[in-house]
Amino acid sequence: MATTLRFNAHKTTGNFNGVNAGSAVAGNAVFLGENTRQKAVSLSAVLVVDIETSTLTATALWQVSNDNSTWLDLAYTPNNAAAVVIATGTGGADPTVTKVIPAPDAIHGYRYARISVVMGVTNGTTNDTYEIGYTYRQLF
């Protein structure tokens, strides 16, 4: 089976302006395949976040879907029982944070997967920015 490496594909960018604490910004969906034909393996998300608002936090959350419309949160990953904060704002002193977040094995039971960035503690502003992309091997 032939494969192609997709690096930082399906990219989306923006800011967290108007995103309330507890709400999220979702990345684009990645089609994983259906029935007996898997289309993507070794999926990970590449997150670049710059959180400038004091006390604002950003947490990564994997989601899955079978119809690319109704999304379910994956509540557990093998390396930690709870989502880990990937960036925290300190009033403009924060550097841009780049993280690679591997997808848990549970995604392979679904047709689509995506990662979301969840805001915590306070609301985002135009100064709080994100870039979401995916790296994986596409199967042919």
Side-chain angles (χ1 to χ4, degrees):
M1 183 174 289
T3 67
T4 299
L5 180 62
R6 302 287 183 203
F7 177 73
N8 218 3
H10 313 288
K11 195 180 289 187
T12 185
T13 62
N15 63 56
F16 295 108
N17 188 39
V19 180
N20 299 328
S23 296
V25 170
N28 292 317
V30 176
F31 179 63
L32 302 173
E34 55 189 338
N35 301 330
T36 59
R37 181 96 169 138
Q38 190 175 17
K39 296 292 231 173
V41 294
S42 303
L43 178 65
S44 62
V46 180
L47 301 178
V48 181
V49 293
D50 184 6
I51 305 298
E52 297 292 331
T53 300
S54 193
T55 72
L56 180 63
T57 62
T59 305
L61 172 69
W62 279 101
Q63 298 178 309
V64 291
S65 174
N66 274 325
D67 62 7
N68 200 20
S69 176
T70 304
W71 292 92
L72 304 170
D73 296 346
L74 288 178
Y76 172 78
T77 60
N79 60 346
N80 58 287
V84 175
V85 171
I86 57 173
T88 303
T90 56
D94 255 5
T96 300
V97 175
T98 301
K99 297 280 184 183
V100 174
I101 312 292
D105 288 341
I107 66 162
H108 295 296
Y110 295 85
R111 292 182 175 133
Y112 300 90
R114 71 181 184 189
I115 199 161
S116 292
V117 180
V118 182
M119 297 290 90
V121 182
T122 190
N123 301 338
T125 70
T126 56
N127 294 327
D128 307 309
T129 61
Y130 65 88
E131 179 179 292
I132 300 169
Y134 301 98
T135 298
Y136 60 97
R137 290 213 172 265
Q138 183 176 5
L139 305 175
F140 297 99

